[in-house]
Amino acid sequence: MTTFVDLAAWLAAEPADAALKDVVQTVAGTCAQISRVVASGALSGSLGAAGSTNVQDEEQKKLDVITNDMLSDALKGCAAVAGLASEELEEVEPTGRIGGYLVTFDPLDGSSNIDVNVSVGTIFSVLPAPADHAPTEADFLQSGRNQAAAGYAVYGPQTMLVLTLASGVNGFTLSADSQWLLTHPAIAIKADTAEFAINMSNQRHWAAPVRRYIDGCLQGNDGPRAKNFNMRWVASMVADVHRIMMRGGVFMYPWDAREPDKPGKLRLMYEANPMSLLVERAGGKSTEAVIDILDIQPTKLHQRVPVVLGSANEVEVIRAEAKAG
């Protein structure tokens, strides 16, 4: 019988400070609890709309509120956390501590799918906190290169935690007795792919470079790429990115003309940065079109960006289209 290393033992061997490990353990433990809440669905009365909107003026699901509170409460109780920021909250929340780490998170990515039993997830990022003062919003506005750790939990047929600290990307599966067991060590994304993920219903709104790229994919063997592509789209970033982690592919959520003043839909601090760090550490690439997402200097807590990430060679093809204009 195979013996799996659990998360605590894996963390003990990682070259990271004890405070960072405490933060990761806190998030992982809360994600295990969230998995049970998500799985209970209608049995616990947690499905459906909450009757409120978040800072992005999006309808909140009951589980958005529940999971946000679970993570916020857990992180406020962690001695290594100086402050937190959530996609569901307008402002940062200092904990009253100085030093240690800041945590940003999307408590339930893909929550619009929860009522139809499609995979959803939690995405998080850990940043260094200032050592000499209580954190303000400005202290959270660090580039993705500064992340001390990042990860996501995907609540699907199995619940998995995909995590990076100092280097590499590793995947843990939640066991029946609520242990995170290392089942996918050293995750690596294939450099080449014939699979893309994008919301095709928005095609008429895309910029010309995106339309050219997708048109080339759809033409298959007869087109400029001279190979057949498959399309996948879950409409839950964490599920689409997890598929790429497991078997390669490219994920795109580009700018579109319906909201021309908004550069994109996905949030830099809560979604794009942590996913980009994971993808790069697994050998893939991530860009907003031309520059690497991890090199963007944030200017706002809830800043949005276009996102292209996944198999390295395919991301470069898309980048070349964007540079061509």
Side-chain angles (χ1 to χ4, degrees):
M1 184 176 178
T2 304
T3 300
F4 295 102
V5 175
D6 67 17
L7 178 61
W10 180 83
L11 284 171
E14 277 291 289
D17 64 65
L20 179 59
K21 294 176 183 180
D22 285 347
V23 175
V24 171
Q25 284 275 39
T26 298
V27 174
T30 308
C31 287
Q33 297 172 15
I34 290 173
S35 177
R36 292 194 291 272
V37 173
V38 170
S40 68
L43 298 176
S44 63
S46 58
L47 298 185
S52 57
T53 58
N54 64 13
V55 65
Q56 310 289 341
D57 200 30
E58 297 167 337
E59 181 187 63
Q60 289 180 308
K61 298 293 186 180
K62 292 178 183 177
L63 278 170
D64 286 320
V65 178
I66 293 168
T67 56
N68 181 78
D69 290 347
M70 291 172 70
L71 276 165
S72 295
D73 291 347
L75 289 167
K76 289 174 184 175
C78 177
V81 176
L84 56 95
S86 167
E87 181 179 311
E88 301 298 330
L89 301 174
E90 185 171 357
E91 299 177 344
V92 303
E93 293 194 345
T95 63
R97 307 181 189 95
I98 295 175
Y101 293 95
L102 309 173
V103 183
T104 70
F105 57 88
D106 179 352
L108 200 66
D109 178 75
S111 60
S112 62
N113 287 323
I114 191 67
D115 292 347
V116 293
N117 202 22
V118 171
S119 294
V120 294
T122 298
I123 309 171
F124 68 93
S125 169
V126 185
L127 296 160
D132 58 353
H133 63 271
T136 64
E137 179 174 323
D139 295 306
F140 282 79
L141 303 181
Q142 305 178 44
S143 80
R145 300 283 177 201
N146 282 8
Q147 292 175 99
Y152 65 82
V154 57
Y155 313 116
Q158 303 89 40
T159 294
M160 282 191 64
L161 175 71
V162 177
L163 179 65
T164 184
L165 270 72
S167 62
V169 179
N170 293 275
F172 301 80
T173 300
L174 190 64
S175 68
D177 58 352
S178 296
Q179 291 189 78
W180 292 110
L181 302 178
L182 180 62
T183 51
H184 295 72
I187 293 171
I189 298 173
K190 297 175 182 178
D192 292 298
T193 186
E195 194 165 270
F196 65 89
I198 194 168
N199 186 347
M200 288 293 292
S201 68
N202 295 331
Q203 186 172 15
R204 66 193 183 280
H205 304 297
W206 298 332
V210 179
R211 291 200 303 271
R212 283 200 309 269
Y213 169 75
I214 295 298
D215 286 346
C217 293
L218 295 177
Q219 291 173 46
N221 281 331
D222 299 325
R225 304 300 306 283
K227 68 176 179 180
N228 292 321
F229 281 78
N230 286 324
M231 193 196 84
R232 298 288 184 267
W233 183 250
V234 182
S236 164
M237 185 192 191
V238 72
D240 280 309
V241 173
H242 185 66
R243 183 185 59 254
I244 289 168
M245 285 287 184
M246 295 295 104
R247 72 184 194 200
V250 64
F251 169 88
M252 304 177 68
Y253 212 127
W255 170 92
D256 77 49
R258 289 170 299 174
E259 296 181 294
D261 295 333
K262 292 183 179 179
K265 180 175 174 62
L266 298 178
R267 287 74 171 179
L268 177 63
M269 305 297 293
Y270 312 107
E271 297 163 322
N273 269 344
M275 290 305 205
S276 295
L277 186 66
L278 289 161
V279 165
E280 282 204 9
R281 292 272 179 84
K285 292 189 176 182
S286 178
T287 178
E288 44 71 73
V290 176
I291 67 171
D292 290 349
I293 282 176
L294 294 177
D295 291 328
I296 297 172
Q297 175 57 51
T299 58
K300 296 186 296 184
L301 189 64
H302 296 286
Q303 184 171 340
R304 298 176 188 243
V305 291
V307 174
V308 176
L309 58 76
S311 295
N313 292 342
E314 205 63 27
V315 171
E316 288 305 320
V317 171
I318 299 166
R319 198 194 310 255
E321 288 283 4
K323 289 181 177 179

